[in-house]
Amino acid sequence: MFVRMICKDRNEKEKNELYQVMGALCKREHMQIEEQGDRVVIYACVQGNIVITEEDNNVIIEANTRHGGAGFHAFAVEFCKDIQTECPGEYELVDDLDFDADEDFHRLHHIYEDEIVYLKDLLLKNPEVRNMNYMFDQTYFLPIEKDGRISTAIGDMDISEFARMEPHDLMDSFFVWNDWEKNARYYKNAALVTLAKEGVGPYATMNADTIKHANEICDFIELANRKDPHISLPLDVYEDLCQQLGRQPQLEHAHAMEQEAIQYRTKEVYHLFDDVKVVADGASERSVDPVNEALCLMSPYNDESQWSWLLMASKQPGICSHLDELLHEEPITYDGKQFYFTQWTEEGATMIDALLEEEDRGLYFHAIIADTKDIPYIKQCIKESGFVHQA
């Protein structure tokens, strides 16, 4: 499920014209376009972007539409065709679903229903798939699986209920843009997916990113209400976010959803880094140490001076301060994995070095803990961590 168009053999002037046209189309569609190093990204859908790169004299436009839905796929094709109309030149358009040939949206929608049928069967028959990223276009985390539950992009459901549901009724649980236009249904789905991916509950104003996403969620909810005042929405979440952001509520005669809007990151999640998954609070502030090739997770906070712990994980032993002592500790076994721990106090804080050994792979940890009450929690997070396994 992808769209790819090569704008062939363009000189600098013609390349600039292409970017100008793309900018104008984004303005028309109220979409953000942003230069990111050697590529340009169009934020077309919360579950899919359009990415523009250059290769020699060619400009390449690509969109992975698997998680966005039929509406996003159709939009990506139409976007490419609009560019062809506005800018003369040679093009090669590849649409693996052939919507470019017949523009039959009804047929396209059925292809996405068939994808749900395939995914549903896979999830019911193969538990390993439930631990993988089949929900989001891209993410740095995965929700921790629950027995008897199936995770979807907008919340988890009982496995027996999931088995009974018709593919059409599951569309909004896995895709965002299921109709031709961005209607109320789209904006509701966009709000729920963004809540799942980016919602951090009481830490919505923790940093610039969490504030940005909190405002996006409110924007999506307000747009859904504006387009259809009768659509049900996560009003309790909206009111909480408005209060945290100091934002004036804009909804009128809105209807509340019966089910709870899921925010995975208010619980522990798997934080992903390379082929590693580290368990910790989903609202943790994430950074990467490129020198030590380490994932760094700092406890969520409302006041920067009140952070509780910092947890680092790397396949490089250099992150451990007391490596020799660590390797001389007696190992413990947990869930088929072997662990080594060493602990000491330094400048009033508790320090932990740890090593996880799983099959022939090793994962090193270094933790700084301000409050001793968090020591059992951090040790348990380390014991629940591991490597990503492929089916």
Side-chain angles (χ1 to χ4, degrees):
M1 295 175 163
F2 70 91
V3 178
R4 187 173 193 262
M5 186 170 77
I6 304 174
C7 314
K8 295 186 173 181
D9 196 24
R10 296 309 206 270
N11 59 36
E12 285 305 310
K13 179 176 180 295
E14 290 167 331
K15 287 179 181 179
N16 289 334
E17 289 173 353
L18 281 170
Y19 288 118
Q20 288 173 5
V21 167
M22 284 187 272
L25 291 174
C26 289
K27 185 176 181 180
R28 182 190 75 185
E29 300 294 335
H30 307 290
M31 292 177 177
Q32 181 182 347
I33 182 169
E34 181 179 287
E35 186 175 349
Q36 294 183 356
D38 60 351
R39 65 179 191 165
V40 171
V41 178
I42 296 170
Y43 297 98
C45 170
V46 297
Q47 284 279 61
N49 300 325
I50 296 174
V51 179
I52 302 99
T53 55
E54 294 184 21
E55 188 175 301
D56 299 325
N57 292 328
N58 298 328
V59 176
I60 302 169
I61 302 168
E62 296 177 288
N64 180 343
T65 63
R66 179 171 297 277
H67 295 86
F72 177 47
H73 190 96
F75 173 81
V77 171
E78 292 300 310
F79 183 84
C80 290
K81 288 189 172 184
D82 285 347
I83 292 171
Q84 291 182 11
T85 300
E86 296 295 329
C87 293
E90 184 180 357
Y91 294 91
E92 180 184 335
L93 177 58
V94 179
D95 172 5
D96 70 330
L97 303 184
D98 297 324
F99 179 74
D100 65 317
D102 61 13
E103 297 191 356
D104 185 343
F105 188 78
H106 183 70
R107 181 188 65 81
L108 181 67
H109 195 275
H110 273 293
I111 292 174
Y112 279 85
E113 282 193 35
D114 291 342
E115 178 71 7
I116 290 289
V117 173
Y118 168 76
L119 182 58
K120 180 181 178 182
D121 185 65
L122 199 62
L123 288 168
L124 291 172
K125 293 180 178 177
N126 188 350
E128 280 295 314
V129 178
R130 299 174 205 163
N131 305 335
M132 298 176 185
N133 183 23
Y134 57 85
M135 294 176 288
F136 302 127
D137 64 322
Q138 56 183 348
T139 184
Y140 292 124
F141 78 92
L142 288 179
I144 294 175
E145 65 276 5
K146 302 175 187 175
D147 289 339
R149 309 289 293 181
I150 297 289
S151 295
T152 79
I154 61 173
D156 60 76
M157 61 181 70
D158 182 82
I159 195 168
S160 57
E161 178 190 358
F162 178 79
R164 290 193 301 268
M165 290 185 69
E166 293 297 323
H168 184 274
D169 297 327
L170 284 168
M171 296 289 280
D172 287 338
S173 295
F174 289 93
F175 307 126
V176 176
W177 196 342
N178 290 305
D179 300 304
W180 178 261
E181 296 180 345
K182 283 187 172 179
N183 53 17
R185 182 184 175 198
Y186 166 84
Y187 286 110
K188 175 181 177 178
N189 290 343
L192 294 175
V193 169
T194 307
L195 264 172
K197 287 175 70 174
E198 308 294 351
V200 290
Y203 306 105
T205 59
M206 183 168 65
N207 56 43
D209 282 340
T210 57
I211 291 170
K212 171 178 172 286
H213 293 306
N215 276 302
E216 285 176 343
I217 293 162
C218 292
D219 290 342
F220 290 143
I221 292 171
E222 289 169 4
L223 284 164
N225 176 251
R226 198 175 307 155
K227 287 183 174 291
D228 181 3
H230 301 290
I231 195 167
S232 61
L233 296 166
L235 300 187
D236 53 344
V237 171
Y238 175 77
E239 290 165 3
D240 178 60
L241 288 177
C242 284
Q243 184 174 11
Q244 288 193 63
L245 295 166
R247 176 173 173 144
Q248 183 66 34
Q250 300 292 322
L251 302 187
E252 294 184 8
H253 312 297
H255 297 269
M257 287 169 44
E258 291 185 7
Q259 69 272 35
E260 179 186 2
I262 297 297
Q263 298 184 66
Y264 297 112
R265 292 179 60 185
T266 59
K267 311 174 183 68
E268 280 65 50
V269 301
Y270 291 122
H271 293 270
L272 305 180
F273 180 67
D274 194 15
D275 62 344
V276 166
K277 55 181 185 180
V278 178
V279 171
D281 191 314
S284 303
E285 191 168 56
R286 171 194 174 103
S287 61
V288 173
D289 176 356
V291 175
N292 293 300
E293 300 177 31
L295 172 66
C296 306
L297 299 171
M298 187 168 74
S299 64
Y301 56 84
N302 290 313
D303 181 336
E304 287 191 31
S305 65
Q306 294 180 353
W307 65 272
S308 301
W309 46 261
L310 172 68
L311 178 62
M312 300 174 64
S314 174
K315 289 185 286 186
Q316 306 301 322
I319 67 165
C320 293
S321 302
H322 287 45
L323 184 61
D324 289 341
E325 292 93 327
L326 176 66
L327 298 179
H328 282 89
E329 294 289 338
E330 286 294 318
I332 62 172
T333 300
Y334 179 85
D335 195 25
K337 299 170 286 190
Q338 194 161 263
F339 292 87
Y340 299 81
F341 285 93
T342 187
Q343 178 178 320
W344 70 100
T345 301
E346 190 174 304
E347 296 182 358
T350 301
M351 317 291 278
I352 292 176
D353 279 349
L355 167 61
L356 177 164
E357 290 183 338
E358 187 175 359
E359 297 174 349
D360 60 345
R361 295 183 287 184
L363 180 60
Y364 297 87
F365 297 87
H366 178 69
I368 305 171
I369 305 169
D371 193 326
T372 55
K373 70 177 176 58
D374 291 317
I375 293 173
Y377 172 77
I378 293 299
K379 286 188 172 180
Q380 188 62 30
C381 284
I382 291 171
K383 289 162 67 175
E384 298 287 347
S385 300
F387 291 88
V388 177
H389 297 281
Q390 300 299 326

